[in-house]
Amino acid sequence: MNAAPDTLPQPISETSDAPLILALPKGRILKALGPVLERTGLFDDGSAIGEGTRSLRFPTLDPNVDVVRVRSFDVATFVAHGGAQIGVCGADVLMEFDYPDIYAPLDLGIGGCRISIARPVGSGQHDTTAASSHLRVATKYPTITRRHFAAKGVNAEIVHLHGAMELAPTLDMASIIVDLVDTGSTLKANGLRETDVIAHVTSRLIVNRVALKTRPDAIRALIERFRNALQENAA
Ligand code: PRP
């Protein structure tokens, strides 16, 4: 019988000379992150990353760090599966997936918003109490939503959407929604009002736990660059 090897072969991205992969989300977080990225020294113009190209992977000013630009929900998946060693995503995504392989060492304090319950303007509040033991909810956060209503003794039937859930109540797909709210203008434009805040959200720097063990110096140095950039940002 062959003896088990002492160490398993590492994927290319885990070798010490491959660049670290930093996963960044598209959209509003990236906009807020721009000045922080400039202060890390990784980019001259942090909010213009990837503009004008269909390419999804970019070099940075540091030859040891490349960036991939993916959907906010997918940042956590890329980092949890080791495709990226480090990333930035909202606390909402971490709450939803609760990946054991992810460590979130830094609250970046940007991208502030909330996960809230919203319902059509003019509708009553009664259907989210224990008096109503069943409720249909449209959301892109099935886990957070189920957990929230289960704690109130309400069985939430989830209509799982990936966007535009504001349409669901008017189209009779659900009576309420659970979604991210920032300015509230999307709710207002779609005849909804925010009734309860489930959680407040900011963006986090996240790290793959295995990569932190195999490449501790490179990853800790990058975390420190973000930490210093935040302090400069606040000064
Ligand atoms: C979020 C959320 C709402 C909107 C709320 O979507 O799902 O649709 O922002 O923002 P507001 O309160 O400022 O109007 P996002 O733009 O992040 O894109 P998504 O639909 O891809 O999730």
Side-chain angles (χ1 to χ4, degrees):
M1 196 169 74
N2 290 336
D6 288 334
T7 50
L8 292 170
Q10 295 294 323
I12 288 171
S13 58
E14 292 302 331
T15 61
S16 54
D17 50 358
L20 285 179
I21 305 291
L22 168 67
L24 297 179
K26 304 171 179 183
R28 74 177 71 209
I29 295 181
L30 191 54
K31 220 171 256 176
L33 193 61
V36 180
L37 287 171
E38 287 160 25
R39 288 187 169 87
T40 61
L42 292 173
F43 289 97
D44 281 333
D45 186 355
S47 39
I49 299 169
E51 268 180 15
T53 168
R54 298 290 296 166
S55 207
L56 298 170
R57 177 171 171 165
F58 310 94
T60 68
L61 295 173
D62 181 339
N64 298 313
V65 182
D66 278 0
V67 158
V68 293
R69 209 172 49 123
V70 300
R71 285 170 183 244
S72 180
F73 268 64
D74 291 340
V75 166
T77 310
F78 273 78
V79 173
H81 290 269
Q85 292 75 39
I86 191 160
V88 173
C89 72
D92 54 319
V93 177
L94 299 180
M95 283 170 69
E96 179 64 23
F97 291 115
D98 203 17
Y99 282 116
D101 301 319
I102 287 180
Y103 165 57
L106 208 52
D107 183 344
L108 298 172
I110 57 163
C113 54
R114 50 211 185 266
I115 304 171
S116 290
I117 300 172
R119 64 186 62 243
V121 171
S123 71
Q125 186 93 9
H126 65 280
D127 47 358
T128 53
T129 66
S132 159
S133 62
H134 187 85
L135 187 67
R136 199 180 303 148
V137 191
T139 188
K140 60 182 171 190
Y141 301 104
T143 304
I144 293 171
T145 301
R146 248 185 231 110
R147 197 190 299 142
H148 173 81
F149 285 108
K152 294 180 178 303
V154 176
N155 178 22
E157 181 189 340
I158 306 296
V159 178
H160 190 181
L161 297 172
H162 294 94
M165 60 228 59
E166 293 85 359
L167 292 170
T170 43
L171 298 179
D172 277 340
M173 293 166 67
S175 51
I176 62 172
I177 69 168
V178 168
D179 195 12
L180 276 192
V181 181
D182 179 10
T183 62
S185 54
T186 309
L187 292 182
K188 199 170 170 201
N190 291 282
L192 302 174
R193 70 189 165 95
E194 184 179 11
T195 55
D196 307 88
V197 175
I198 295 179
H200 288 275
V201 170
T202 48
S203 299
R204 309 297 162 106
L205 190 70
I206 61 171
V207 171
N208 176 287
R209 286 182 191 277
V210 175
L212 187 56
K213 283 189 187 138
T214 54
R215 303 180 66 178
D217 296 343
I219 291 178
R220 284 190 197 287
L222 196 48
I223 294 171
E224 269 325 290
R225 277 166 84 165
F226 273 92
R227 205 185 299 278
N228 293 336
L230 286 182
Q231 279 162 4
E232 281 178 43
N233 220 18

